[in-house]
Amino acid sequence: MAISIASPATRRGKASRHARVSAICLGSWIVAVAVAVAVPAGGLSAETGFQKRTTLPASLTGFVPRLTSPNQATTGSLMLRSEDPGKFVEAPRVATNVEIAVNGPVARATVTQRFLNPSDKWVEGVYVFPLVDGSAVDTLRMKIGDRLMEGVLEEREAARKRYEAAKIEGKKASLVEQERPNIFTNSVANIGPGETVVVQIGYQHTPVYKDGAFSLRVPLVVAPRYHPIEAVRQVQIRAGAEGWGMADPVPDPVPDRDRISPPVLHPKAGETNPVTLTVNLDAGFPLGDVISSHHGITVTERPNGAVTVVLADGPVPADRDFELVWRPAQGTAPNAALFSEMMDGESYHLMMLTPPTESVGPAPAREVTFVVDTSGSMAGGSIEQAKESLVRAMDRLRPKDKVNLIRFASETRTLFPKPMPATAETVDAVRRAVLALEAEGGTEMLGAVEAALSTGGQSPDLIRQVVFLTDGSIGDEDRLFRAIETGRGDARVHMVGIGSAPNAFFVNRAAEIGRGSATIIGSLDQVGARMQALIQRLENPAVTDLKVSWPDGTAVEAWPNPLPDLHLGETLVVSAKTDRPSGEITVSGRRGTTLWTASLPLDQAAVGQGVAKTWARRKIASLETLRARGLQERDVLDGEILDVALSHGLVTRLTSLVAVDVTPSRPQEEPVATTDVPLNLPQGWDFDKVFGKEIEDRLRLDPAVREASFGLTVASLKASTEPLASPSVSGRSSLSLPQTATMAELKLWAGLSLVVMALFWLIFQWFRDRRKVA
């Protein structure tokens, strides 16, 4: 349409403006339709920043097996959207079994994942799963029928190429990759129609000893991560000699966002990914209490003083962390331990030492800035835990202290311009602000970190402390680590991980870089005891200037390096490799003005299996911390990490495990589809606060989808007599997954209706303008 621009005084000019406005309206409706069609395809929510993939990824690659529609579903199988409108494909089903053997200071775990292809075509399953922060993953086995394949460790890119080649050739293959130190991806290629592939992953780690108790965490679900997108992109233009300029690319704050954003099942669609779990606990000392923080358990004593722990209710949905806590019997609590292992002619040692805990005087005056996460992922139980924790912490403030409160979600808000004296009026104002907190929006944490570290420090005579309360559900960990490193100054950053599935990697690493402590609170029941322990750490000086002296002439490589400060109730854990197994180790430190030393003889160390791998993993973790802090060249550190990983057979950011069946199983003429296995929403999370009400409305409006969504769930597995996810099992599973859908079709029809309305309006305006001109 040609639009002439004439004088506003003419009637023809008025008509042209009417036409121009009509054209703009039509363009706006077309844009609205484009947005309505594009949003369900897996874009980002402008408000929350969470991937809106839920159970329906944007597309499936390759051929889509057994296309169906929601009203054709006869079981509770999960449907993934295909590229054909209104058609869906069944996703692979996953069941997991976890077996852990704790022997002294080392826990050895075997995770068995059973992938079932419920369709009648060939598929590739991609499952994102969590492990303990700092896990030493070293074993991969794949079982198909009676055939067992061992995985091999290779550099990440080489392993990926080998896996992709096997997939193209029709061979079954499995690839385990690390996305974060606590997030891994298991890809399984060429699962045949109705076929089951069993994949077994082995890893080890060290239980935590703090406040007189040992704890073992088993993460069971990867919580949805918020991925920031720069609202304003500032581009640097480089001018050339010819006068033309080029814009430097703006780096994505989360370049691997697709790798850590699996689809999430709506809670109303039931529970999926059932887990069975067994812990064989041989602590090496008489046991007192053995409790599970979040699951019912059955504890069976064994003749040698060890115990076996199983889930009391059988299979449970993978929707929250499992935590086992055990305490030594009265009067048997250890304050030091030393274990050694010989490997390839070298001596490896693991030392655990708890400094004295007696009081060293009155609590010093403090400047405390509380920073609380009020994003959508904190809605529900998490925000209540955070509020209760803050109220308890404020009760300990004194008038000589200073306090401030910062909250963050999509934006950061500070209660006071700077920390204020903790008078009764100030504390009351903070308490009222805390009780009024509500959770909604994105998780823009960077601004909160910068505000917390820049608004304090006005009183050099006060000990400066920053206390973060967050679930850590973010994807831009690295830039937050750098912000803490560059802005910390003399402050100590203490992290409190909140919720049923907190990002423990972020919580622990941020506390380490901030020279503070890390605390995990998984339920309201834990707030009292764990906040009390944290308050005691805040009110007592840390053990500083820690140093470990080895026998003269000993070549030693010990990690972490440098040694961290220790807070009240914390244990020093050092892994070392030496060229001699004898002599005496001396540990020294300072707590306030009090000097403290302890000695341990190397030749009296107990034999500890897995100590060498523990050393390797701790070295890698320390090098990664140096890399995150930007203290050394990244290429140099990557070279060291790769050398350690390859020599000790560990999965890292730079290495992966791959297993390939030598015999092709998929005929070349049969294509393969790739599907992401969905995860549960962590227990206590509010789906609408994270992803919006789109899926909720779809379940409510579409009876076919609603009925198909409440089919077989985890409960169906409990009624089954078939063993779950055993390496020796290769038959079909009785596990079924629920389904759900987006509002893609509703949005499409709404958009088309708006286009038709806009066309009618345009025609009406055109006839009216013609009459006016005439």
Side-chain angles (χ1 to χ4, degrees):
M1 178 186 296
I3 301 177
S4 60
I5 302 178
S7 169
T10 65
R11 295 171 66 184
R12 187 176 300 275
K14 293 180 180 179
S16 70
R17 287 200 303 277
H18 281 300
R20 185 164 63 250
V21 171
S22 299
I24 293 173
C25 290
L26 177 59
S28 300
W29 290 122
I30 293 175
V31 170
V33 172
V35 172
V37 175
V39 166
L44 288 170
S45 164
E47 174 63 20
T48 68
F50 284 90
Q51 293 280 1
K52 278 202 170 183
R53 296 175 65 183
T54 62
T55 57
L56 309 177
S59 63
L60 304 175
T61 61
F63 185 83
V64 178
R66 199 165 74 180
L67 294 178
T68 184
S69 60
N71 58 6
Q72 294 172 326
T74 57
T75 69
S77 58
L78 177 74
M79 299 292 182
L80 300 177
R81 185 179 56 188
S82 75
E83 293 176 348
D84 292 353
K87 294 294 184 179
F88 299 82
V89 58
E90 285 187 85
R93 305 167 184 173
V94 176
T96 302
N97 179 61
V98 182
E99 294 185 359
I100 303 174
V102 180
N103 291 291
V106 175
R108 180 76 199 176
T110 301
V111 178
T112 304
Q113 297 168 346
R114 188 171 63 181
F115 292 81
L116 169 66
N117 174 14
S119 75
D120 58 3
K121 298 296 181 181
W122 293 82
V123 300
E124 175 193 28
V126 180
Y127 183 48
V128 180
F129 64 98
L131 288 180
V132 183
D133 176 29
S135 297
V137 180
D138 58 4
T139 304
L140 169 64
R141 294 185 178 93
M142 181 172 65
K143 185 176 178 62
I144 306 146
D146 295 330
R147 301 195 307 279
L148 183 66
M149 285 133 281
E150 293 280 348
V152 296
L153 188 82
E154 296 181 358
E155 293 191 37
R156 181 166 183 150
E157 191 60 31
R160 166 58 66 174
K161 289 180 179 178
R162 186 178 175 192
Y163 171 82
E164 292 293 341
K167 183 171 70 173
I168 294 173
E169 295 168 1
K171 300 176 181 177
K172 286 184 172 57
S174 179
L175 177 68
V176 175
E177 299 172 289
Q178 175 185 301
E179 312 302 338
R180 296 288 189 276
N182 62 339
I183 300 180
F184 292 76
T185 301
N186 189 7
S187 303
V188 182
N190 294 315
I191 310 175
E195 192 173 38
T196 295
V197 176
V198 178
V199 177
Q200 193 176 80
I201 300 164
Y203 71 92
Q204 71 171 51
H205 67 103
T206 304
V208 176
Y209 185 48
K210 180 189 290 186
D211 300 323
F214 287 85
S215 63
L216 173 76
R217 295 187 70 84
V218 183
L220 296 181
V221 63
V222 176
R225 302 294 181 91
Y226 177 87
H227 305 310
I229 295 180
E230 301 292 345
V232 178
R233 292 185 176 270
Q234 297 182 350
V235 181
Q236 180 69 36
I237 304 297
R238 294 181 287 103
E242 299 82 5
W244 298 100
M246 294 181 62
D248 289 333
V250 178
D252 188 337
V254 192
D256 61 345
R257 61 184 68 227
D258 289 339
R259 301 283 300 176
I260 58 174
S261 301
V264 179
L265 196 68
H266 194 290
K268 285 198 173 182
E271 297 163 332
T272 186
N273 301 343
V275 175
T276 54
L277 187 145
T278 302
V279 179
N280 292 307
L281 173 59
D282 186 357
F285 50 76
L287 288 171
D289 295 333
V290 178
I291 62 173
S292 169
S293 301
H294 312 302
H295 295 80
I297 59 173
T298 299
V299 181
T300 303
E301 295 184 5
R302 303 210 306 261
N304 59 354
V307 298
T308 297
V309 178
V310 298
L311 296 172
D313 299 325
V316 298
D319 64 353
R320 51 185 153 157
D321 290 357
F322 173 85
E323 183 184 52
L324 188 69
V325 179
W326 62 95
R327 294 181 179 274
Q330 186 70 30
T332 64
N335 55 18
L338 185 62
F339 300 86
S340 296
E341 182 182 29
M342 292 295 298
M343 182 173 289
D344 299 330
E346 293 181 300
S347 183
Y348 293 87
H349 309 281
L350 177 63
M351 179 186 68
M352 306 172 70
L353 193 64
T354 303
T357 58
E358 61 267 13
S359 177
V360 294
R366 301 175 293 141
E367 175 192 285
V368 188
T369 299
F370 296 104
V371 186
V372 58
D373 182 350
T374 60
S375 62
S377 64
M378 291 284 289
S382 295
I383 192 65
E384 296 305 319
Q385 294 168 31
K387 290 160 71 169
E388 177 69 17
S389 299
L390 285 169
V391 169
R392 287 177 178 269
M394 286 185 299
D395 288 341
R396 301 287 299 188
L397 293 173
R398 301 152 302 173
K400 65 179 181 179
D401 299 327
K402 287 188 175 181
V403 64
N404 202 357
L405 176 68
I406 297 175
R407 58 161 296 183
F408 69 92
S410 297
E411 59 182 7
T412 297
R413 295 185 179 181
T414 303
L415 186 60
F416 305 119
K418 62 181 181 180
M420 301 293 290
T423 61
E425 293 79 8
T426 300
V427 172
D428 186 58
V430 176
R431 185 178 290 106
R432 290 198 308 271
V434 167
L435 296 177
L437 292 176
E438 295 183 358
E440 191 169 15
T443 316
E444 294 290 346
M445 193 181 296
L446 182 61
V449 171
E450 294 172 341
L453 298 178
S454 63
T455 57
Q458 308 290 327
S459 304
D461 56 327
L462 301 182
I463 293 178
R464 190 176 171 210
Q465 299 170 335
V466 177
V467 182
F468 267 85
L469 295 94
T470 176
D471 56 19
S473 294
I474 42 89
D476 58 333
E477 292 101 330
D478 272 357
R479 71 171 183 170
L480 293 171
F481 295 152
R482 290 193 294 272
I484 294 173
E485 171 66 28
T486 57
R488 186 183 66 83
D490 61 349
R492 294 186 182 273
V493 179
H494 300 267
M495 302 296 299
V496 181
I498 296 288
S500 60
N503 181 357
F505 158 63
F506 172 71
V507 170
N508 293 331
R509 188 69 58 84
E512 180 183 354
I513 294 174
R515 299 187 71 184
S517 64
T519 302
I520 300 292
I521 297 177
S523 65
L524 277 174
D525 295 339
Q526 295 180 328
V527 171
R530 299 200 174 180
M531 279 305 297
Q532 179 62 31
L534 174 60
I535 290 169
Q536 290 180 349
R537 282 191 272 279
L538 295 175
E539 294 180 349
N540 285 272
V543 177
T544 60
D545 301 330
L546 278 166
K547 186 170 75 171
V548 179
S549 300
W550 299 84
D552 292 341
T554 301
V556 62
E557 186 178 356
W559 303 97
N561 185 18
L563 293 174
D565 295 339
L566 288 183
H567 297 81
L568 189 68
E570 294 180 338
T571 300
L572 175 66
V573 180
V574 177
S575 293
K577 181 178 70 173
T578 69
D579 60 352
R580 66 169 70 181
S582 60
E584 193 171 71
I585 308 173
T586 301
V587 183
S588 62
R590 181 185 298 274
R591 186 159 177 251
T593 59
T594 304
L595 292 175
W596 165 80
T597 62
S599 298
L600 292 89
L602 279 173
D603 54 5
Q604 294 183 16
V607 176
Q609 189 175 1
V611 170
K613 285 190 183 294
T614 299
W615 172 86
R617 188 63 207 181
R618 286 185 176 274
K619 177 176 180 178
I620 291 170
S622 295
L623 295 176
E624 290 283 14
T625 300
L626 293 175
R627 189 178 186 273
R629 296 170 66 181
L631 299 182
Q632 293 186 25
E633 289 292 333
R634 292 197 163 196
D635 290 344
V636 174
L637 293 172
D638 282 351
E640 291 189 58
I641 292 170
L642 185 60
D643 287 344
V644 177
L646 292 175
S647 61
H648 288 266
L650 300 181
V651 175
T652 65
R653 178 174 48 85
L654 304 174
T655 53
S656 303
L657 279 166
V658 59
V660 176
D661 188 1
V662 296
T663 306
S665 57
R666 176 177 57 83
Q668 286 297 306
E669 66 273 12
E670 290 285 347
V672 61
T674 300
T675 60
D676 293 330
V677 178
L679 306 183
N680 292 307
L681 190 72
Q683 186 191 52
W685 281 41
D686 186 325
F687 190 92
D688 295 340
K689 293 288 187 178
V690 178
F691 295 106
K693 291 184 65 62
E694 178 179 300
I695 307 300
E696 171 80 18
D697 293 340
R698 175 61 170 160
L699 285 172
R700 178 175 56 83
L701 293 174
D702 194 328
V705 173
R706 186 175 65 247
E707 291 173 6
S709 296
F710 296 93
L712 301 176
T713 61
V714 175
S716 67
L717 192 65
K718 295 182 180 181
S720 172
T721 58
E722 183 181 359
L724 172 65
S726 168
S728 62
V729 174
S730 60
R732 295 191 63 172
S733 168
S734 64
L735 170 66
S736 296
L737 299 175
Q739 68 178 23
T740 184
T742 64
M743 295 178 66
E745 295 181 48
L746 291 179
K747 286 189 173 183
L748 180 61
W749 283 111
L752 291 175
S753 300
L754 292 175
V755 170
V756 173
M757 293 171 60
L759 288 174
F760 276 116
W761 177 256
L762 180 61
I763 294 171
F764 171 76
Q765 289 290 347
W766 183 79
F767 276 110
R768 190 178 69 173
D769 292 341
R770 288 292 301 271
R771 287 198 300 271
K772 290 182 178 179
V773 173

